[in-house]
Amino acid sequence: MRIGVLALQGDFREHKQAVEALGHEPVEVRLPEELDTLDALVVPGGESTAIGKLATMYGLIEPLQKHIQSGLPVLGTCAGMILLAAGVTDGEQSQLGVLDAVVERNAYGRQNESFEADIEIRGFDRPVRAVFIRAPRIAAHGEGVEVLGSVDGHPVAVRQGHVLAISFHPELTEDRRFHQMLIEMAGRKTVGDGAHD
Ligand code: GLN
């Protein structure tokens, strides 16, 4: 499958490697038309304000919203989670609003900028080793958002239909289960589309 990786800023290269490791084709996305032939999309971690500004400059905000709203499965990690959400607790920035959630950026404070934790994820048979780097967490979310994993009672992995968002960085570990989940969502979509042929 062709899995797009938004390649404006941040650790998109590591996501490309994760996609390749699963035997799929990673596609760097910088232009709206590059969204047209994808089976799924990854929005990487990095700096969400920078990614949002670049996405605005490149005319990508509306095309991203359109594709995701019409069913393109998406995985957002860390800054990518922020980009997918509808709001942030500390002001305003460019966001896609495809995830019914408000995100608290840098939720773990300055002293604790990065840490690792083993987290139970709904549907996984063993915990993930989660790497948090200046990580956000979900401050509030709508009823349609399913919490897959939390730290200290705060959601850090959520899913709303075909929109999957996590606070941490699976692409920095060898654990490919979230990328696999994205690819499975894309597979279901293909089957669904095929039924109309
Ligand atoms: N703190 C960053 C932000 O607010 C996210 C950090 C990350 O993606 N590792 O955008």
Side-chain angles (χ1 to χ4, degrees):
M1 274 189 276
R2 286 168 57 82
I3 312 297
V5 182
L6 192 65
L8 300 175
Q9 191 266 343
D11 72 338
F12 55 89
R13 290 172 196 86
E14 287 80 358
H15 280 289
K16 286 177 64 185
Q17 284 161 8
V19 167
E20 253 163 19
L22 290 170
H24 295 276
E25 183 192 350
V27 181
E28 290 188 8
V29 173
R30 292 188 188 81
L31 301 171
E33 52 269 32
E34 287 166 340
L35 290 165
D36 289 344
T37 55
L38 301 178
D39 296 299
L41 177 71
V42 178
V43 183
E47 181 54 46
S48 60
T49 50
I51 299 174
K53 276 183 197 153
L54 290 166
T56 304
M57 273 171 54
Y58 283 58
L60 273 167
I61 298 283
E62 275 185 24
L64 282 166
Q65 288 170 327
K66 219 181 75 202
H67 278 88
I68 297 168
Q69 277 157 2
S70 59
L72 181 68
V74 61
L75 164 65
T77 60
C78 203
M81 167 195 260
I82 300 169
L83 220 68
L84 295 177
V88 287
T89 55
D90 66 344
E92 276 196 21
Q93 61 185 75
S94 293
Q95 287 174 282
L96 298 175
V98 293
L99 175 69
D100 184 13
V102 174
V103 176
E104 179 184 356
R105 296 178 62 202
N106 304 316
Y108 297 95
R110 292 226 157 256
Q111 297 89 329
N112 209 354
E113 286 205 333
S114 94
F115 64 98
E116 295 187 18
D118 290 319
I119 298 179
E120 301 279 350
I121 300 291
R122 186 182 285 192
F124 288 6
D125 55 2
R126 59 193 159 78
V128 286
R129 185 75 182 159
V131 179
F132 292 86
I133 304 169
R134 302 186 63 221
R137 66 188 177 199
I138 302 284
H141 62 83
E143 275 178 18
V145 176
E146 181 190 6
V147 177
L148 302 180
S150 302
V151 171
D152 300 333
H154 298 280
V156 294
V158 297
R159 178 173 173 171
Q160 182 177 8
H162 61 287
V163 176
L164 178 60
I166 56 184
S167 295
F168 47 89
H169 289 274
E171 73 284 5
L172 300 182
T173 72
E174 297 298 307
D175 193 331
R176 306 288 178 228
R177 285 178 288 174
F178 284 101
H179 293 86
Q180 187 63 46
M181 198 190 276
L182 177 71
I183 282 157
E184 278 163 22
M185 294 192 298
R188 278 200 291 278
K189 178 174 176 281
T190 307
V191 171
D193 289 347
H196 297 288
D197 286 347

